[in-house]
Amino acid sequence: MTEAIVRSAAERDLPEVLNLYLHLHPHDPPLEAATAERVWTTLLSSSFMTVIVAQAAEALVASCTLAIVPNLSRGARSYGVIENVVTHADYRRLGLGRRVLAHALDLAWQADCYKVLLATGSKRETTLRFYEGAGFLRGGKTYFEVRRPSSG
């Protein structure tokens, strides 16, 4: 396993997190700096959000975002949602993605979440097995999605 520190992201991490997202959505247009900085500040200052990163040497090589959502059902226990799971292409299959997910789950359990959700658009069996290996169950619930219609 590659030596890495798994931690919550800090303000200085924005450029490297944006670089990691090139490995997640390579065809997305780059964000304007002001937009990226505004959203990053919002993420880091939110008590509901945590961006988790794995740092190997001086580079960020894996990340995910955990949202902890307050809830009035299930005894008022929150639930977690994990998004934007990514590992730099040069660092895949080294256990780093699994480590950021494990850290996210630890944070969710510490916050007394009763469940954690994760969705993927990937249909690749290797990706689906990766999530199962990290403790997520396939087919537990049926997931639906609606996206905002394009304007234009």
Side-chain angles (χ1 to χ4, degrees), residues 5 7-25 31 36-37 40 44 51-65 84-89 91:
I5 297 168
R7 60 177 174 80
S8 295
E11 189 175 334
R12 70 181 182 278
D13 294 324
L14 175 59
E16 287 195 76
V17 169
L18 291 174
N19 184 53
L20 270 177
Y21 286 175
L22 296 174
H23 297 268
L24 181 62
H25 299 294
L31 289 176
E37 289 169 10
W40 190 241
L44 294 183
V51 179
I52 298 156
V53 296
Q55 179 179 344
E58 296 301 315
L60 297 187
V61 295
S63 181
C64 72
T65 301
N84 295 328
V85 179
V86 62
T87 301
H88 188 289
Y91 289 84

Side-chain angles (χ1 to χ4, degrees), residues 70-136:
N71 184 31
L72 287 172
S73 70
R74 300 291 183 167
R77 292 173 66 200
S78 298
Y79 59 92
V81 180
I82 295 176
E83 269 287 331
N84 295 328
V85 179
V86 62
T87 301
H88 188 289
D90 295 341
Y91 289 84
R92 291 183 180 151
R93 306 189 67 77
L94 300 174
L96 297 167
R98 190 168 292 177
R99 286 185 60 198
V100 297
L101 288 173
H103 189 80
L105 290 174
D106 286 345
L107 292 175
W109 304 149
Q110 288 171 29
D112 199 31
C113 290
Y114 81 94
K115 71 177 176 182
V116 176
L117 309 168
L118 180 149
T120 180
S122 177
K123 305 292 186 235
R124 291 189 349 236
E125 193 60 31
T126 55
T127 301
L128 303 178
R129 282 197 307 268
F130 162 74
Y131 289 122
E132 288 175 326
F136 292 86

